[in-house]
Amino acid sequence: MGERKKQVDTEKFEEKENPVAGKPSEEPDGREKIEHLGKENLEDVWKIGVASFAPEFHLTKQKLCENAFDAPDFFKEGSLGIRDAEGVLAGFILSKISLEDVVYPNTGWISIFAVAPEKRCRGVGHRLLESALQAFKEKGIERVYLGQDYRNFFSGIPSPSEEKIRFFAKEGFWINNEDHYDLEADIVSNEKIRDFDPDRFLKNFSVTTFSGEKKELLAFLDTEFPGRWVFEAETAMDEGKASEEIVLLWTGEKQELVGYCMLDGVGKEYGGLGPIGIAKKIRGNHVGDFMLWASLRQLKKIGVRTVNIDWTILKDFYGKFGFVPERVYRGACKDI
């Protein structure tokens, strides 16, 4: 089995005349003004964000900096806000563009997008999105995703109501037919983890944490899960990912690498798991259950209590260890 681990709040579509897309505008008719946003706008962006996204999305100022303003792929030309006549920010879009041409050539992401609750149903969202898409187009971007970026806030449209789906469909986005989820579970007071019997797997497999096997790991991922997994794993190792957060599954005593799981949890009570994957040739024998069990035990060992598994449809697989949906998303993209 292979599972990949992790958008926006909007309002009803309302047709209005728009300014020159992709560029800050001084509106002669008194309408709200569009401007580029940067880290200096953190406070205003955060206030709209926390008013727009439920607490379970864990939006913080630190997360806005790490995932957007300070991120190397942050796209300022496509990161825009609209201010009302009093100079108050009414809505914002923060965007990113791909810095590599292998996994996501000519790709952009609407990383996070929200309109202040009191400013919705006035065409603010439409104007922001139209301007951001024009900025992407001028940069040579050919496809734009809602969320799904590296170090993302969301893996699609969060809490995808009919209203949100209708808005993005009218804006020309292709909308996935199925929802996907972030799952969570307490792994400390968890009888399902405690009661799992690993004995039959331990006869044929061993589990270790990373100890410098970069070449073997990248070769395994390139064979079994080419693309994004390889890029993210290599980036994580190059940036000094803690060895305790990379779990490896081997046949015998480190004979052949046949499984992998990335964790996030050193020094945290709230951690993450994923991606997690097993070599094709050993799937179908519940080895994935064993790998998941071992990875959850490793998270517990490094101090994590609550675990998030994001961007998945495999509710039944993870449900074996008590994971339940905490957040729901719908994937969407647009070719421009």
Side-chain angles (χ1 to χ4, degrees), residues 184-201:
E184 288 189 5
D186 183 310
I187 63 170
V188 174
S189 304
N190 192 314
E191 295 181 356
K192 295 183 177 183
I193 297 174
R194 185 194 65 199
D195 295 341
F196 182 81
D197 183 4
D199 287 348
R200 72 184 181 97
F201 302 103

Side-chain angles (χ1 to χ4, degrees), residues 33-305:
K33 301 176 179 63
I34 296 180
E35 63 182 52
H36 295 309
L37 298 180
K39 196 172 180 178
E40 65 276 8
N41 306 110
L42 174 61
E43 185 72 22
D44 289 343
V45 168
W46 176 75
K47 287 179 180 178
I48 293 178
V50 296
S52 300
F53 303 108
E56 58 263 27
F57 288 101
H58 305 290
L59 184 65
T60 64
K61 293 178 184 178
Q62 180 180 354
K63 196 171 182 179
L64 281 165
C65 290
E66 291 177 350
N67 291 18
F69 293 121
D70 292 338
D73 51 356
F74 180 65
F75 180 45
K76 186 159 186 175
E77 293 93 326
S79 297
L80 305 167
I82 289 184
R83 294 192 182 275
D84 62 20
E86 287 73 42
V88 177
L89 195 68
F92 70 87
I93 279 181
L94 302 184
S95 302
K96 297 181 186 177
I97 56 173
S98 178
L99 300 180
E100 49 82 21
D101 294 325
V102 177
V103 184
Y104 292 111
N106 304 315
T107 298
W109 293 274
I110 302 293
S111 189
I112 183 169
F113 172 25
V115 174
E118 69 276 12
K119 297 293 185 178
R120 295 173 188 169
C121 305
R122 302 181 185 182
V124 173
H126 169 68
R127 290 180 64 206
L128 281 170
L129 186 57
E130 182 182 60
S131 296
L133 290 172
Q134 180 62 29
F136 281 126
K137 186 174 182 179
E138 291 173 0
K139 189 69 174 180
I141 298 301
E142 297 175 357
R143 173 169 289 188
V144 175
Y145 290 91
L146 299 179
Q148 304 186 18
D149 40 314
Y150 296 118
R151 293 177 177 170
N152 59 67
F153 296 95
F154 314 111
S155 56
I157 304 169
S159 305
S161 64
E162 290 184 7
E163 186 177 46
K164 293 177 186 178
I165 291 172
R166 185 166 57 249
F167 170 83
F168 286 108
K170 284 187 176 181
E171 297 290 340
F173 281 80
W174 174 85
I175 312 294
N176 201 325
N177 292 325
E178 296 182 355
D179 292 334
H180 59 270
Y181 307 91
D182 290 350
L183 310 177
E184 288 189 5
D186 183 310
I187 63 170
V188 174
S189 304
N190 192 314
E191 295 181 356
K192 295 183 177 183
I193 297 174
R194 185 194 65 199
D195 295 341
F196 182 81
D197 183 4
D199 287 348
R200 72 184 181 97
F201 302 103
L202 292 172
K203 296 176 183 177
N204 300 305
F205 301 98
S206 60
V207 176
T208 70
T209 54
F210 182 74
S211 59
E213 303 93 344
K214 180 178 180 179
K215 182 178 179 180
E216 293 93 330
L217 177 54
L218 293 179
F220 166 76
L221 292 175
D222 193 50
T223 299
E224 301 287 345
F225 307 100
R228 181 166 180 155
W229 285 29
V230 180
F231 179 83
E232 289 187 320
E234 185 168 20
T235 300
M237 288 184 284
D238 289 345
E239 292 179 350
K241 181 76 169 175
S243 60
E244 300 98 320
E245 295 182 322
I246 303 175
V247 180
L248 305 176
L249 177 70
W250 307 84
T251 57
E253 293 296 325
K254 294 190 69 171
Q255 294 174 358
E256 180 186 2
L257 185 60
V258 290
Y260 154 81
C261 184
M262 186 73 79
L263 310 177
D264 178 31
V266 170
K268 306 174 184 177
E269 287 196 1
Y270 181 84
L273 181 149
I276 178 172
I278 302 295
K280 298 180 184 69
K281 65 183 179 182
I282 61 169
R283 294 176 197 169
N285 297 303
H286 298 284
V287 181
D289 296 349
F290 172 63
M291 182 63 172
L292 177 57
W293 172 82
S295 298
L296 292 172
R297 280 170 54 89
Q298 175 63 15
L299 278 165
K300 184 177 178 181
K301 180 179 178 181
I302 60 179
V304 173
R305 182 178 190 91

Side-chain angles (χ1 to χ4, degrees), residues 303-321:
V304 173
R305 182 178 190 91
T306 303
V307 175
N308 171 60
I309 298 173
D310 68 350
W311 198 341
T312 182
I313 61 172
L314 301 181
K315 293 188 292 182
D316 292 340
F317 172 70
Y318 294 111
K320 296 174 184 178
F321 291 101

